Amino acid sequence: MAVQEARQGPEPGAHDGGCACGDCPHGAREGHRRAVAAFLVKRDEFAAGQGLPAAVAHSASASRQWVSEELTQSAELVAERGRAEGESWLSRVWQRTACTVGAAVVTLLLVQSLTAIGAGWTTARTAGLLAALLVGGALTAASWLHRARGGALAPVIGEDNRLSTSRVVAAAWVLFVAYAVLVLVGRLAAASGPAERDALISGLDLVRGAGAVTVLAVVCAIAVLVRRVVGLRVLGQRLQKVRAHRPRAADLLTDDAGRGTFADIQYVAISVVALAFAAVRLARRPDQLPDLPWGLAVVVLVSAATYLAGKYAEGGRPVVLSVVRSREAGDLDGPIRTGDDIEIRGAGFVPPGAQTADRLSRMVVRIGAVHVHVPLVPVAGGFSNPTDAVLTVPVPAEVEPGRVEVQVITAAGVETNRYAIDVTD
């Protein structure tokens, strides 16, 4: 539907989507959608050999360069609209947070009311409801104060503008433990006798909540350690990171390229199960911290260790393995000369999350002292150049004949090893 609209052109009176309301037909979301549709139409037309001007149609290299420049300019517009849509989305998160918190409090009230039938309303139910109101109010207030940075999501968004799995899991445990303590505080404030107050205070003893406290300490330490590990690996060029337009819920279970990862999935799944068990224990015994069994606590710790090991193992520096002269069908074999195309073979040329055209167009190959931008070669549904393992670039006339070094610079700014080739006249 969006592609059909792009072929028909914009609606009368429609602008480019510069406003930030996001919900109107001319908002940032609509502007981004139209820009994406227009880019896809242009890419598919070029892939089919349509739209080339007569001045460059006679030359394969000239037409390839012209197509690459046109797609790069269109991709930059898509990226600009995507950033605007992401900023607009982040500015509306605090409203969604308020609605979600309100719905959660109402749901808790309904559950407590239904379970109170026959058993009667207790002080623990009142304390639980008041604790939910306090935690929800704090989340809503913090979300409003940071509304320009994603509201309540601001602390759990990583430097690459994606949701951090380790921070989300740690934040969930922090909120749950804070809620559990507030429930005990409410019950302690309503306690009438010294014996009841002493029993509630003893519910905070480390012996009762050792498992939950240990899990809380470990997941918080994992969140801090993962940030340090990722930062050092990026600075050491052992991990490639590109910034996303906006955070998505799928970031919790996938890598930067959108592929599901075992380490993240198992960490989230086991943490959700452990939190559900702890919530049931708190509902059954609201007079003490949830006594998470050590067996379940160890399972969470093993899951956290697996997640951390996965962070150490992911990534890797891009590498050039070989460089050969690109040969068309019918061409004679020969050495690499200026004006020829060279095929660079290796691994890791396209960082995860950099498969979009605006990121691919930022790839550069250094041939001697000359920087050559990698041309975009469109095909139906994507690009044949560049790819993660192979990319093709021309050897410009400015390259001096002789032995020169070839080096690839990825969209993340990471440089590969240098590979020497011989260029003849």
Side-chain angles (χ1 to χ4, degrees), residues 219-241:
V219 296
C220 290
I222 289 292
V224 176
L225 184 58
V226 164
R227 180 180 181 182
R228 179 66 173 171
V229 168
V230 171
L232 290 178
R233 287 174 62 82
V234 169
L235 293 177
Q237 297 191 2
R238 297 187 301 274
L239 179 65
Q240 301 188 75
K241 279 282 186 181

Side-chain angles (χ1 to χ4, degrees), residues 86-99:
E87 293 174 358
S88 175
W89 184 87
L90 286 175
S91 65
R92 300 193 306 271
V93 168
W94 77 270
Q95 299 173 348
R96 300 178 182 181
T97 301
C99 295

Side-chain angles (χ1 to χ4, degrees), residues 58 131 194 232 271 407:
H58 67 281
L232 290 178
S271 297
Q407 189 177 32

Side-chain angles (χ1 to χ4, degrees), residues 16-56:
D16 292 333
C19 69
C21 57
D23 294 325
C24 74
H26 313 305
R29 184 188 308 168
E30 181 69 12
H32 181 232
R33 190 176 70 88
R34 288 184 177 276
V36 171
F39 172 79
L40 294 179
V41 169
K42 182 178 292 187
R43 185 198 64 190
D44 293 342
E45 287 179 349
F46 288 152
Q50 304 172 2
L52 291 176
V56 299

Side-chain angles (χ1 to χ4, degrees), residues 160-221:
D160 57 353
N161 206 29
R162 294 180 176 86
L163 287 181
S164 170
T165 303
S166 59
R167 297 185 196 181
V168 169
V169 171
W173 279 101
V174 168
L175 289 176
F176 174 76
V177 172
Y179 173 78
V181 173
L182 286 175
V183 170
L184 291 177
V185 170
R187 292 209 59 193
L188 184 61
S192 57
E196 184 180 1
R197 288 194 293 269
D198 292 341
L200 291 171
I201 293 175
S202 64
L204 291 172
D205 289 343
L206 186 59
V207 178
R208 303 286 182 88
V213 172
T214 302
V215 169
L216 176 65
V218 170
V219 296
C220 290

Side-chain angles (χ1 to χ4, degrees), residues 261-325:
T261 56
F262 170 76
D264 294 61
I265 292 174
Q266 60 86 29
Y267 191 37
V268 172
I270 292 180
S271 297
V272 168
V273 171
L275 278 171
F277 180 89
V280 172
R281 291 293 293 174
L282 179 63
R284 290 296 184 182
R285 303 194 64 176
D287 56 343
Q288 65 179 45
L289 285 177
D291 51 342
L292 202 66
W294 277 111
L296 183 56
V298 170
V299 170
V300 177
L301 300 185
V302 171
S303 175
T306 304
Y307 173 78
L308 181 60
K311 287 299 177 182
Y312 272 103
E314 71 176 358
R317 187 167 183 172
V319 58
V320 174
L321 299 178
S322 61
V323 178
V324 299
R325 177 177 176 268

